[in-house]
Amino acid sequence: MPEVFEQDYTLELLQQVTNALNSGQFVQVRRTLAEIPPCDTALLLESSPHKVRTLLWQLVDPDIQGDVLEELSEDVRLSIIAKMEPELIAAATEDMDDDDLGEVLRSLPDPVYQDVIGAMDSQDRARATQALSYVEHSAGALMNTDTVTIRPDVSLDVVLRYLRLKGDLPAGTDDLYVVDKDNCFLGSLSISVLLTSQPDKLVKELMNDERETIPISMDESDVAQLFERHNWISAPVVDDNAHLLGRITIDDIVDVIREDAEHSLMSMAGLDDEEDTFAPVWKSSRRRSIWLGINLLTALMAAFVASFFEGTLDILPILAVLNGIVPSMGGVAGSQTLTLVIRGIALGHVNATNQRFLLGKELAIGALNGLLWSLLIAGVIALWQWDFVLGGVIAFAMFMNLVAAGIAGASIPLILKRMNIDPALAGSVVLTTVTDIVGIFAFLGTATWLLV
């Protein structure tokens, strides 16, 4: 579905449901929610204010509530689950895939989680315990256990008869996994090879015994990179002893890629990537206030540096007018480098072997841009104020700050990554602090030295 058409469809659906709710046509809304896919129901819930969302959820068929919960962002899911009884949550999660079950249960507050586990039957409780035993954001947390396994010493005809008896295949099955009697992974047999080869051939003659596997503890972002690089539809997950544990499918990887992109985008503004757009005012204000407080501290640091030059500003008021130019240019230049390096880290392009080259490159870019724009601003200020020394002062400060911005923009993400701090979350604050302080100190310090 083209993106524009999809947006129009979503808007039309939202308006239709809203109008029906306002008119009290609850039966019509219930019928509409039963006819559309769970992903569209989830989108309606995420696009609705809090009160409307509560009413909509009451009209969702209990048989599909689990499918809808899988599609919701964490914040919206929690706001809905908070008003559900543990027995209803347990019933909604009954038919979930293992990875989705683990994700939903991990998002629950501990008291609610304990009540939900207590309300499950023994089979679902064991499944939930197994799903939660894997590290969050690892391959184990992503995988499903719905694999189809075969032995290497059987013919394709036997495999085909086995599949007919089985009746159906798990969604996204493109390979059958070949294992030995101890369930150790030996290779894979693609469905296309199975269907197009002679039925008397043995599996071991046609299987791909060089198929790459995914360790159970691998980070989900690294798994996503493997899928992207190899164009996989699914991939086997194994433990340290090569025992087959499950598989990861492309639909889960799409979610990982989307979540990583949202995380990078939202973190740069100090927001949670799962934040509910229509969350209550107090809740949203509390979250944003934390980030605003951090930014206020950095602004106060820059103001503290500027306070050392109050005497200079009293003598030459024009400096107060021009003082914002240098930090602003440094901030923009540094943000460009910061964004580029964070993207490189996320894609796995930046590593220990090329960091030195990257720093040198960004230093050269900062120096080149610094030279270009410092000469330009020097000419503008000299002609405007008819003061060539003032033009030289701001040119020097501009050059120094653009060089500092290039170095800081490249090095800050690398340093934060080494300290196990998310560069997307903290990088922009640190960078702004550096460019503001360097810019103010270079401009007002040089002006004090040469003009006062």
Side-chain angles (χ1 to χ4, degrees):
M1 184 186 296
E3 184 178 353
V4 174
F5 177 74
E6 184 177 358
Q7 291 175 350
D8 292 342
Y9 164 75
T10 303
L11 179 60
E12 180 182 348
L13 182 62
L14 183 60
Q15 290 177 338
Q16 175 186 342
V17 170
T18 302
N19 292 336
L21 286 176
N22 292 336
S23 303
Q25 300 175 6
F26 300 131
V27 175
Q28 176 62 35
V29 175
R30 187 186 296 274
R31 187 180 298 118
T32 300
L33 295 177
E35 293 173 351
I36 62 177
C39 59
D40 287 341
T41 302
L43 184 59
L44 281 176
L45 290 166
E46 291 179 341
S47 305
S48 302
H50 200 64
K51 292 183 179 178
V52 177
R53 180 184 297 161
T54 301
L55 183 56
L56 277 176
W57 182 250
Q58 295 172 352
L59 298 174
V60 174
D61 187 343
D63 292 338
I64 65 169
Q65 285 185 348
D67 297 327
V68 176
L69 286 175
E70 292 179 18
E71 303 290 340
L72 292 172
S73 64
E74 184 174 337
D75 252 21
V76 177
R77 185 192 302 138
L78 280 176
S79 70
I80 289 175
I81 286 178
K83 299 181 179 180
M84 295 176 65
E85 295 296 326
E87 295 78 10
L88 296 178
I89 301 174
T93 59
E94 185 175 351
D95 296 323
M96 281 186 180
D97 292 335
D98 293 351
D99 58 327
D100 295 319
L101 175 62
E103 181 182 353
V104 170
L105 292 179
R106 282 190 184 93
S107 67
L108 298 177
D110 189 61
V112 179
Y113 161 75
Q114 297 295 343
D115 291 339
V116 172
I117 289 294
M120 289 180 171
D121 59 35
S122 58
Q123 183 177 357
D124 284 337
R125 190 179 302 118
R127 194 164 62 95
T129 302
Q130 182 64 37
L132 292 170
S133 66
Y134 302 114
V135 178
E136 190 175 6
H137 303 306
S138 68
L142 275 181
M143 76 173 185
N144 286 315
T145 56
D146 57 352
T147 57
V148 179
T149 58
I150 54 177
R151 293 293 176 82
D153 52 356
V154 299
S155 67
L156 300 190
D157 183 52
V158 172
V159 174
L160 288 169
R161 281 190 278 120
Y162 164 68
L163 294 181
R164 292 191 194 100
L165 288 173
K166 191 174 179 62
D168 59 357
L169 294 176
T173 299
D174 61 325
D175 285 332
L176 307 179
Y177 297 140
V178 186
V179 297
D180 62 14
K181 60 183 178 60
D182 297 319
N183 201 44
C184 288
F185 182 82
L186 301 177
S188 63
L189 178 70
S190 71
I191 296 294
S192 60
V193 170
L194 173 64
L195 296 176
T196 57
S197 300
Q198 294 298 323
D200 58 345
K201 292 280 189 180
L202 296 180
V203 169
K204 63 184 177 183
E205 298 175 31
L206 299 173
M207 73 178 190
N208 177 13
D209 56 6
E210 296 182 357
R211 176 61 192 267
E212 190 171 348
T213 58
I214 297 176
I216 188 73
S217 58
M218 179 178 283
D219 186 84
E220 62 180 18
S221 296
D222 296 330
V223 176
Q225 290 178 17
L226 284 176
F227 268 77
E228 181 184 10
R229 191 179 310 136
H230 297 290
N231 295 320
W232 288 338
I233 296 175
S234 67
V237 180
V238 297
D239 64 13
D240 295 337
N241 297 316
H243 293 120
L244 179 66
L245 299 176
R247 67 182 184 130
I248 296 174
T249 51
I250 187 63
D251 58 314
D252 296 314
I253 297 303
V254 170
D255 291 339
V256 172
I257 294 172
R258 175 181 57 80
E259 289 167 4
D260 283 349
E262 289 180 354
H263 174 74
S264 297
L265 177 65
M266 300 288 278
S267 292
M268 287 186 177
L271 298 175
D272 187 347
D273 51 305
E274 296 281 357
E275 181 157 348
D276 179 8
T277 306
F278 295 97
V281 172
W282 170 245
K283 183 177 180 181
S284 295
S285 296
R286 188 175 70 251
R287 285 183 171 180
R288 299 184 194 185
S289 293
I290 297 173
W291 199 249
L292 290 172
I294 294 173
N295 279 273
L296 178 60
L297 289 176
T298 62
L300 287 173
M301 290 174 64
F304 179 70
V305 173
S307 69
F308 289 121
F309 304 99
E310 288 184 17
T312 302
L313 293 172
D314 289 339
I315 298 172
L316 294 172
I318 187 61
L319 297 180
V321 177
L322 303 176
N323 190 38
I325 297 177
V326 176
S328 174
M329 287 290 288
V332 172
S335 295
Q336 293 173 337
T337 304
L338 183 78
T339 303
L340 183 69
V341 175
I342 290 176
R343 172 180 173 271
I345 292 174
L347 295 176
H349 296 167
V350 178
N351 51 59
T353 62
N354 55 27
Q355 289 179 8
R356 187 184 299 273
F357 173 81
L358 180 63
L359 289 171
K361 174 197 168 187
E362 294 303 327
L363 173 61
I365 292 174
L368 184 60
N369 277 331
L371 183 62
L372 171 65
W373 295 106
S374 61
L375 291 175
L376 179 63
I377 193 65
V380 170
I381 297 302
L383 293 175
W384 176 24
Q385 295 297 317
W386 207 245
D387 188 336
F388 291 93
V389 177
L390 178 59
V393 167
I394 197 170
F396 172 76
M398 181 79 73
F399 178 82
M400 293 300 296
N401 204 25
L402 289 180
V403 170
I407 297 174
S411 60
I412 287 172
L414 301 177
I415 295 171
L416 292 176
K417 187 71 175 177
R418 189 169 297 178
M419 298 169 62
N420 292 322
I421 300 175
D422 186 356
L425 180 62
S428 59
V429 175
V430 179
L431 174 69
T432 302
T433 305
V434 171
T435 54
D436 283 356
I437 291 177
V438 171
I440 292 172
F441 190 83
F443 179 52
L444 295 182
T446 307
T448 303
W449 178 41
L450 295 179
L451 299 177
V452 182

